[in-house]
Amino acid sequence: MKIRIRLKTALIVNYILVAVIPLLIIGLISLHFERRDLLRVISGKNMLLAETVAEEVDTFLQEPLNMLRQVGEVTHRERYLKGADFNVFIDSIVATYSFFESIYILDDKGRADHVGLLPGIKGRKAEYLGKDMAGEEFYKTARQKKGHWWTSTSLSRISGEPSLTLAVPVINGMVVGNLNLRALDKIIAPINRRKGIYAYIVNRDGRVIAHPDRTNVLQQLNVADLNIVKAGLAGTNGTYRYFFKGVERQGSVAVVRESGWLVVIAQNLDDTLAPVRRMEKIFLAGLLGSLLVALFNTIWSLELLLKPVSALINSTQKIAVGNYAIDNEPINIKEVGELAVHLQSMAGAVMSREEALREQNEELSMTEEELRQQVDEYLKSQDELLETNHALEALFKAAPLAIIAFDATGKVKMWNPAAERIFGWGRDEVVGNLYPLIPDGKMDEFQAYLDRALAGETLAGIELRRQKKSGLPIDISLDAAPLHNAKGEIAGVIALLADIGERKQAEKALWESDKRFTLFMDNLPARAYMKDVNGHYIYVNETLRRYFAERKIAWFGRRDDDIWPASTAALFKENDLFVLEQKRAVQVIEPVVEDDRLSYWLNSKFPIFNENGDSIITAGVTVDITERKQAEDALQAERARLFSLLQGLPAYVYLKAQDHTVRFANSYFRQNFGDPEGKKCYDIFHGNHGLCCECRTLHSLETQTTCKWEWTAGTGRTYEVYDYPFTDSDGSPLTLELGIDITERIAAEEQTKASLKEKEVLLKEIHHRVKNNLQVISSLLNLQSRHIHDQRDVDMFMDSQNRVKSMALIHENLYQTKNLARIDFAGYIRKLSANLFRSYGININAVNLNLNIADVSLGIDTAVPCGLMINELVSNSLKHGFPQGRKGSIDIELLTDYAGNHTLIVRDNGVGFPADLDFQSTESLGLQLVGTLTEQIGGSIVLDRENGTEFRINFKELKYKERV
């Protein structure tokens, strides 16, 4: 049963499906992507913060490590500092560097020779001097690793703060320092001052060593079970969600490279998603209000529309019961009003038609007698027509030909079974219709034949091509004559049609056979001919006639003696006679002299027999193979040259079959491995009686690829071997093997590798020592600056210290990487900029650092000047660009193109560079150094004072120049 619903209900449901649901779906999808993009942006910022803090922690740990290494070198040169002086030196280091609580100098037995303590506990030195520390875990681990070792963190008994022990092995002993980690809180303090975000640091055991809540640090809170900490301890940086104290958080973790600690930047997820949730509430409230307003408007509009429609329905019901007098009230809706007018017009039309029908019924009434007379006359005519049809059908059924009768208009009046059988149309399909065999465009031709027959002419033997009902063509023969009626008048045409298709096909097949033979022979790319038993030419094809067109030879009836030189003609006759006598085909190469030029013909001759089996004709097909013969001769000569080349090669070459039998071997092979005749390759080379465990020849043949490998013979000589698969002329697979003696080359390569390894170790040691010496200079500048009271002099010392650090950082990166000649400049710039921000005590909430560094590596000749220029320009921005706590950002970009051109950009949006100051002629040492270094690397520098300060330096990497 079909369900019927009200129009009002349908329109409301349609409004909900078309407008409300799509709007709701679009809104929810937009909120989903807004939430995802917000989390992605926050994750990226937090990850960058975590990596930056990890770099700062790593830099912080490098300073005590470098200092202990310097102390170790001073210990090795103790002749310059004796006794109390050396103790004073160690005490000064502990007092100067706040991160040291104590320093111990151990001898090669693990006993403390010298001790440096904080000023408050110097009196306890006697407790530690001579103390045996060989059993301590840090001592044994550092000795075993032969390198420095960081212990796990713990609470210091001296300060009560988190601390650890750093052990650095040196010559004849070890330097041990106890480090106070309170400085880690200063590193994360700028981040913890931000709203809604906090940072903390976790050691390798998963315990908190720096946290905005000091209680967690002092209690050494264990957070190893958090999934973010588990991932970080597994060595994976990333952003994760986790629950801490029942609150869902999102954090980014970065691993400190030197110590394996974790830096975590975290936020409460509720605070992070607060903007999105506000948007969700606003969206849902707006959507609900819009729905209510739209629904009210829809119901009101439907009431306005459906009221006149109900009136029209009532009017329609009146018309259905025969009440055509309807009166509709005025309707305000245009379309419904027009419908009401048309409804009234329809009611009037229906009423008029009923009256007209009533009048027609009265006029069409007739008597029963009149109807009976008409029926009798009709039956009589049907009987006469039936008799005629019976006679014609009996006549037509007996006729073998198609008999068709037409009236004077060309319509078919009779169609016998033979016509149905020949043409495919049944009688019912054609009688009373135009002749179906008239093709498109042939109506005039048919009308002409019809007119001739209607004029009294008899048509005979007319051949036509027509189409059957199936669409197949048919060839017919037409005979036609006029058809007279009982009064002797021509009333139509009767035609006899016969199928002559088989006769036509036989005639066409004979013609096409002759034509194909002629076309085949004339288009044959070879010269063909036929001769009788007496040697007279009776046929030549077009190819032969074209070949000798210039000689204008009359071939027919002539013999070879009339055309060719005597020697050539005699050779032709001899071969022809052989074919006729032997009654079989032969193929011979016949040398022919043409115009004093010798050519070679490949002649295929065969006999043609009569009905008695006698040879009566010699037929032949000739191809000029002169070029092929010359190519074969040249190939034979080339083979001889190749054979000579293989015999003279200073390497062994041999061919072997698929069963590993040696088919050919050059003289080098025979001199070194003996005569290979009839032997297998594995017997010759290895003295085996079976296949090798890993046969490269089989692999080369199976994959049809070249195999390269090496093997060492019993004589100690090493060969580089190439296997090439190919197919012999008879189709059998073969392998060509070439073996080159590389014994001397391998020895030379091993010697070169050993030399390079030695130089690599030496170069790493040089970079390491240069970096350590630069660190010593930096530390000495730092120590000296503590005794200077003039702030300008202190700034000068800090600038010099930063320049030294920038150069030391390059040497540190070089000896820590595999490539000793080039430095990863992107990583270098990140470390350098972090050091500068820390040196000047810049709050990262006040001045943001934005880096856009291409993935490029530079040689040391270019990296050192570029590092110094970045140091000077960034230092200048930090010192002068943001006075009195002004906020802003510093951008560092390094761009490169496909041609190797580099562009270094350092910009800030601070107060800007003074308009009246020429940076190229200023007395500032830093800017003078930038200009000098730009010239040193062959670059150019441009200053842009709009929107702050931007220095743009264009340069190319310096090519290496040999030092003298």
Side-chain angles (χ1 to χ4, degrees), residues 323-395:
N323 183 5
Y324 302 115
I326 59 175
D327 186 16
N328 292 321
E329 297 179 359
I331 299 173
N332 295 329
I333 300 175
K334 179 180 178 182
E335 290 79 1
V336 180
E338 291 176 353
L339 180 61
V341 172
H342 290 313
L343 185 62
Q344 288 179 339
S345 300
M346 183 185 73
V350 171
M351 184 170 61
S352 300
R353 184 161 296 180
E354 281 186 355
E355 294 177 357
L357 288 175
R358 192 177 298 111
E359 294 175 359
Q360 289 178 2
N361 287 333
E362 295 175 355
E363 293 175 358
L364 292 176
S365 301
M366 62 173 56
T367 65
E368 184 179 352
E369 185 63 28
E370 290 175 340
L371 290 175
R372 187 179 300 109
Q373 290 178 358
Q374 293 179 2
V375 170
D376 291 340
E377 291 177 1
Y378 176 75
L379 292 175
K380 181 178 180 181
S381 64
Q382 288 296 318
D383 291 338
E384 293 176 355
L385 181 61
L386 185 60
E387 292 176 0
T388 304
N389 286 339
H390 284 317
L392 289 175
E393 287 178 3
L395 177 63

Side-chain angles (χ1 to χ4, degrees), residues 775-793:
Q775 287 284 13
V776 170
I777 295 173
S778 175
S779 298
L780 292 175
L781 289 173
N782 185 33
L783 288 172
Q784 185 64 40
S785 65
R786 297 174 185 269
H787 302 287
I788 299 174
H789 303 291
D790 190 335
Q791 185 59 40
R792 183 175 180 182
D793 292 340

Side-chain angles (χ1 to χ4, degrees), residues 394-442:
L395 177 63
F396 287 173
K397 288 179 181 179
L401 302 178
I403 302 176
I404 306 173
F406 304 95
D407 63 12
T409 63
K411 292 183 179 180
V412 177
K413 303 299 291 183
M414 289 181 286
W415 183 271
N416 74 335
E420 182 176 346
R421 184 179 65 255
I422 294 172
F423 300 116
W425 281 283
R427 179 179 177 281
D428 295 337
E429 296 180 84
V430 296
V431 172
N433 298 319
L434 285 175
Y435 182 44
L437 294 178
I438 304 173
D440 294 339
K442 295 291 185 179

Side-chain angles (χ1 to χ4, degrees), residues 297-316:
N297 182 63
T298 301
I299 295 173
W300 178 79
S301 301
L302 288 175
E303 290 293 335
L304 184 65
L305 173 64
L306 295 178
K307 183 176 180 180
V309 171
S310 299
L312 290 178
I313 292 172
N314 294 332
S315 299
T316 305

Side-chain angles (χ1 to χ4, degrees), residues 51 53-55 57-59 61-62 148 150 204 237 254-263 809 812-813 816 827 831:
E51 291 176 347
V53 173
E55 289 287 345
V57 174
D58 191 65
T59 304
L61 295 176
Q62 285 293 328
H148 67 276
W150 307 86
R204 293 192 300 260
N237 291 2
V255 181
V256 179
R257 185 180 65 251
E258 180 64 38
S259 61
W261 299 343
L262 307 180
V263 175
L809 190 58
E812 179 182 358
N813 286 351
Q816 288 179 348
K831 292 181 181 179

